[in-house]
Amino acid sequence: MSIKQVIKDSAPASILNWVLPAYRVIRRWYVTLRTRIRCLQFTSYPRPIRIELGPGMIAPPPGWLTLDLTPSATFYCDLRAALPFPSQSVDEIYSSHVLEHFTLPQLKALIAECRRVLTPGGVFNAVVPNGGMFIRAYCDAELRKTLIGWVGTSADCQLGTPMDVVNHMAHLGGEHRYVFDEENVVSLLKMAGLVDVRLRDFDPDRDVHERRHESIYVIGFSPNPGQS
């Protein structure tokens, strides 16, 4: 059990109102300092260096480092800021159902940062929700019925109308900022200067099986010298 949970379970509310804010400040200071130290040591990390963006509390496979605003992340960092790594220092970057939480200007900046830190020939590998499928469901009652079954009691699917599924994908209760289909996710990566960008198949060794039905898989590469 975490220290935070012990405090919550045992302390009176009056004490919690004082202790928890102080605990959050100390924790944020600690994980920020830890990240700075790890970044200073970054160039000595064993290769290949593989980074997952925004996994939340989900543990990545062995050999992967994580970047997120959660204390459990290897590097505590806001993905709207510059990535805390030297240029051409990361061999592979992976993200799953993360990019849709950013606006287009933020996405362009993030993918540009990913290209900056990738080694020549380095891999950018992403999974995004299939927004096109949900939009097609607006005109396809059978597909719409299937999707409603998948999303269950989403906050955006309460009216029983065809637009429910579109609102679910576009907003997800206010969490989504951008909608993808097969064409625009490829265009986004190409715009950032990645090369050989293409859709890929589901990878059972890396991708989340439970999201296979609603996902688009894309891969691109940092250009080698002289490649464009």
Side-chain angles (χ1 to χ4, degrees):
M1 183 180 293
S2 68
I3 295 174
K4 180 180 177 180
Q5 193 59 49
V6 171
I7 294 173
K8 275 190 169 183
D9 292 344
S10 59
S14 58
I15 295 179
L16 283 178
N17 291 336
W18 177 82
V19 170
L20 287 181
Y23 168 78
R24 293 188 185 104
V25 170
I26 293 170
R27 182 182 64 176
R28 189 179 303 113
W29 175 85
Y30 165 73
V31 295
T32 301
L33 177 61
R34 182 189 65 190
T35 288
R36 289 177 179 173
I37 293 172
R38 288 175 175 176
C39 287
L40 290 174
Q41 301 169 335
F42 191 74
T43 54
S44 64
Y45 280 40
R47 307 206 76 92
I49 295 177
R50 299 185 176 99
I51 302 289
E52 179 167 357
L53 304 179
M57 301 302 292
I58 300 174
W64 285 79
L65 307 173
T66 58
L67 188 66
D68 206 342
L69 275 177
T70 57
S72 60
T74 313
F75 303 98
Y76 179 79
C77 179
D78 188 338
L79 293 176
R80 293 169 296 183
L83 301 184
F85 311 126
S87 298
Q88 300 188 0
S89 61
V90 177
D91 299 284
E92 183 172 357
I93 295 174
Y94 176 88
S95 74
S96 178
H97 285 252
V98 172
L99 301 184
E100 66 276 10
H101 295 278
F102 299 90
T103 64
L104 182 56
Q106 292 168 346
L107 282 169
K108 291 165 67 176
L110 175 58
I111 306 303
E113 272 294 286
C114 289
R115 182 195 168 183
R116 178 185 67 81
V117 304
L118 281 171
T119 57
V123 181
F124 182 84
N125 201 342
V127 187
V128 296
N130 190 341
M133 177 178 63
F134 281 79
I135 293 171
R136 289 192 296 272
Y138 178 81
C139 300
D140 185 331
E142 285 301 314
L143 178 57
R144 186 164 64 248
K145 181 178 178 181
T146 299
L147 297 188
I148 290 292
W150 287 340
V151 302
T153 57
S154 165
D156 296 314
C157 295
Q158 302 295 316
L159 300 181
T161 69
M163 190 59 73
D164 283 4
V165 291
V166 179
N167 271 301
H168 170 78
M169 174 51 57
H171 304 294
L172 197 67
E175 295 181 16
H176 283 184
R177 299 290 182 270
Y178 198 72
V179 180
F180 288 101
D181 66 4
E182 291 87 347
E183 184 176 1
N184 73 344
V185 69
V186 169
S187 295
L188 174 67
L189 270 58
K190 287 182 176 179
M191 182 180 294
L194 297 174
V195 298
D196 195 18
V197 179
R198 61 185 185 272
L199 301 178
R200 64 168 178 84
D201 293 330
F202 168 81
D203 181 355
D205 294 326
R206 190 64 184 90
D207 301 321
V208 179
H209 179 76
E210 289 76 12
R211 285 183 154 170
R212 183 175 183 177
H213 65 277
E214 62 172 345
S215 297
I216 299 170
Y217 304 92
V218 64
I219 191 168
F221 301 85
S222 179
N224 288 301
Q227 184 182 16
S228 61

